[in-house]
């Protein structure tokens, strides 16, 4: 059950911090989740302290952390500092779409729509290079589409791309129509029912975005790790008869889940030391095959999953030097 009270969010933040101490390699994503729970608990200074701790230790995603810190600071009266951080993020021109989107949404939340739109347009000019976009960049141009609709700006090529990538039943133009808010005060049952449908669609998209850090994940053992695993635990050979079969099974399993409608699929990279440590924490021998899916779920919950499928022109998930479109995605249209 998700925490829904300040006390529950505080407890969850403390649990995440304890987990970070146990798994220092995953400290950054766990601290970010803990900071989010502190914000939800109303402890915004405490969240800022976690962001500052991360920024003091050469983090992997400094621009994302700064954007989150700016959003948090503005919410409890530190507007000048937040603006300075936002300006710094924009000048840095990060390759991380999430940092841009959080920055723009912070500006939007404080009624600075023109600044939000220009921020997202600047980001799109840097990050949108083809129609085959990763999820984070798709989300960015979708947010840009919404803000431009609020500003009554005409569609451009990136708005058209956002329309084309949108898969929900309610079209993006309709979902982002500012006039739809007027129907909330209508006494016409048909108008109210239509608005309920739109809101459900919007909520579904939002829930998908929220759940993305915790995908349904499949284990990928690199060849050297798989050889080491089977040498130590030959009982697992039934699960992994050959490395080639292992790769084939991963792609086939993910496609089957995708066709069944399972959202937010991912792949987690397994290592023998990590697996053995997990088995020890579960008081279960590593040779027990039932432990493998639990290990995959734990890695995904620690933000170790990579989204599947990758873009066709991105590196294939298997670790080959080929792109996904040339490798495991070669038979996809």
């Amino acid at each position: 059950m998700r925490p829904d009270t300040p006390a529950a969010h505080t407890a969850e933040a403390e649990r995440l911090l304890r987990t970070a101490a146990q798994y220092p390699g995953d400290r950054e994503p766990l601290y970010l989740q803990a900071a989010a729970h502190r914000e939800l608990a109303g402890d915004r200074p405490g969240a800022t302290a976690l962001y500052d701790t991360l920024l003091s230790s050469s983090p992997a995603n400094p621009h994302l952390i700064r954007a989150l810190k700016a959003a948090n600071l503005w919410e409890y009266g530190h507007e000048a500092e937040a603006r300075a951080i936002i300006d710094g993020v924009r000048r840095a021109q990060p390759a991380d779409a999430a940092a841009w989107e959080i920055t723009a949404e912070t500006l939007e939340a404080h009624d600075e729509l023109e600044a939000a739109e220009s921020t997202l347009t600047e980001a799109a000019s840097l990050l949108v290079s083809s129609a085959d976009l990763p999820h984070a960049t798709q989300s960015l141009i979708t947010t840009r589409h919404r803000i431009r609709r609020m500003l009554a700006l005409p569609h451009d090529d990136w708005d058209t791309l956002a329309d084309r990538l949108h898969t929900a039943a309610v079209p993006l133009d309709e979902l982002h129509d500012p006039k739809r808010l007027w129907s909330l005060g209508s006494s016409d049952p048909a108008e109210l029912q239509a608005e309920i449908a739109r809101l459900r669609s919007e909520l579904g998209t939002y829930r998908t975005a929220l759940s993305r850090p915790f995908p349904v994940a499949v284990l990928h053992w690199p060849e050297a790790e798989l050889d080491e695993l089977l040498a130590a635990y030959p009982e697992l050979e039934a699960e992994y008869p050959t490395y080639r079969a292992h790769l084939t099974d991963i792609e086939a399993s993910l496609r089957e889940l995708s066709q069944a409608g399972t959202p937010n699929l991912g792949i987690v990279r397994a290592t023998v030391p990590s697996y053995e440590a997990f088995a020890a924490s579960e008081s279960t021998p590593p040779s027990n095959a039932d432990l493998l899916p639990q290990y995959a779920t734990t890695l995904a919950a620690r933000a170790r999953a990579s989204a599947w499928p990758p873009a066709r022109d991105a590196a294939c998930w298997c670790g080959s030097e080929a792109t996904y479109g040339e490798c495991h995605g070669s038979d996809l249209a």
Side-chain angles (χ1 to χ4, degrees):
M1 180 180 295
R2 292 183 181 273
D4 57 2
T5 65
H9 282 295
T10 298
E12 180 64 10
E14 294 308 310
R15 185 191 69 80
L16 288 163
L17 293 175
R18 290 193 299 272
T19 303
Q22 184 178 3
Y23 299 101
D26 300 323
R27 178 172 177 264
E28 186 169 325
L30 291 167
Y31 264 54
L32 289 178
Q33 292 177 49
H37 281 289
R38 282 189 174 178
E39 290 185 24
L40 291 168
D43 182 13
R44 293 193 174 274
T48 295
L50 291 181
Y51 295 134
D52 286 338
T53 299
L54 287 174
L55 289 168
S56 68
S57 58
S58 302
N61 298 294
H63 302 304
L64 173 62
I65 297 169
R66 290 189 181 99
L68 290 166
K69 178 182 174 182
N72 181 54
L73 284 169
W74 204 327
E75 289 300 319
Y76 71 109
H78 296 270
E79 178 182 342
E81 186 178 353
R83 286 184 181 279
I85 293 172
I86 286 171
D87 289 343
V89 170
R90 294 184 66 176
R91 285 195 302 272
Q93 298 189 326
D96 178 10
W100 285 102
E101 187 168 8
I102 291 166
T103 296
E105 288 180 339
T106 300
L107 293 166
E108 179 195 4
H110 296 279
D111 299 322
E112 300 197 11
L113 295 181
E114 290 83 359
E117 193 277 335
S118 66
T119 297
L120 293 169
T121 297
E122 186 178 350
S125 69
L126 290 169
L127 304 178
V128 179
S129 57
S130 70
D132 190 13
L133 301 178
H135 172 78
T137 308
Q138 289 186 37
S139 177
L140 183 146
I141 63 170
T142 299
T143 299
R144 179 179 180 274
H145 181 291
R146 174 173 54 77
I147 291 175
R148 286 172 61 82
R149 288 285 278 145
M150 294 172 67
L151 290 168
L153 295 173
H155 264 35
D156 61 10
D157 290 344
W158 289 324
D159 290 326
T160 301
L161 177 59
D163 283 327
R164 189 163 70 249
L165 294 173
H166 180 68
T167 58
V170 179
L172 203 57
D173 263 348
E174 185 177 350
L175 192 64
H176 290 167
D177 184 357
K179 294 180 181 178
R180 73 187 180 93
L181 297 177
W182 300 348
S183 65
L184 291 174
S186 172
S187 58
D188 184 338
E191 287 186 359
L192 290 172
Q193 189 62 43
E195 181 58 23
I196 290 171
R198 295 187 190 99
L199 291 172
R200 281 177 174 165
S201 175
E202 192 171 40
L203 180 60
T205 301
Y206 182 59
R207 282 177 171 165
T208 296
L210 283 178
S211 64
R212 193 153 291 271
F214 306 97
V216 175
V218 175
L219 280 177
H220 170 218
W221 295 90
E223 188 168 12
E225 294 290 339
L226 186 61
D227 289 345
E228 182 181 344
L229 178 76
L230 296 180
Y233 310 105
E235 300 90 339
L236 297 177
E237 286 182 1
E239 299 291 324
Y240 307 113
T242 67
Y243 181 63
R244 183 178 294 275
H246 173 47
L247 298 184
T248 300
D249 286 346
I250 291 173
E251 184 71 21
S253 297
L254 289 167
R255 292 191 190 188
E256 183 178 346
L257 288 167
S258 178
Q259 290 167 4
T262 305
N264 303 340
L265 299 172
I267 296 176
V268 286
R269 183 186 178 96
T271 66
V272 174
S274 169
Y275 178 60
E276 290 175 335
F278 175 74
S281 70
E282 295 293 313
S283 301
T284 303
S287 57
N288 183 355
D290 292 340
L291 197 64
L292 295 168
Q294 298 175 45
Y295 174 52
T297 300
T298 298
L299 290 178
R302 287 160 52 197
R304 301 302 291 263
S306 299
W308 180 94
R312 289 184 61 79
D313 59 354
C316 188
W317 56 262
C318 71
S320 70
E321 295 182 358
T323 65
Y324 179 64
E326 296 168 338
C327 194
H328 282 89
S330 60
D331 61 336
L332 295 175

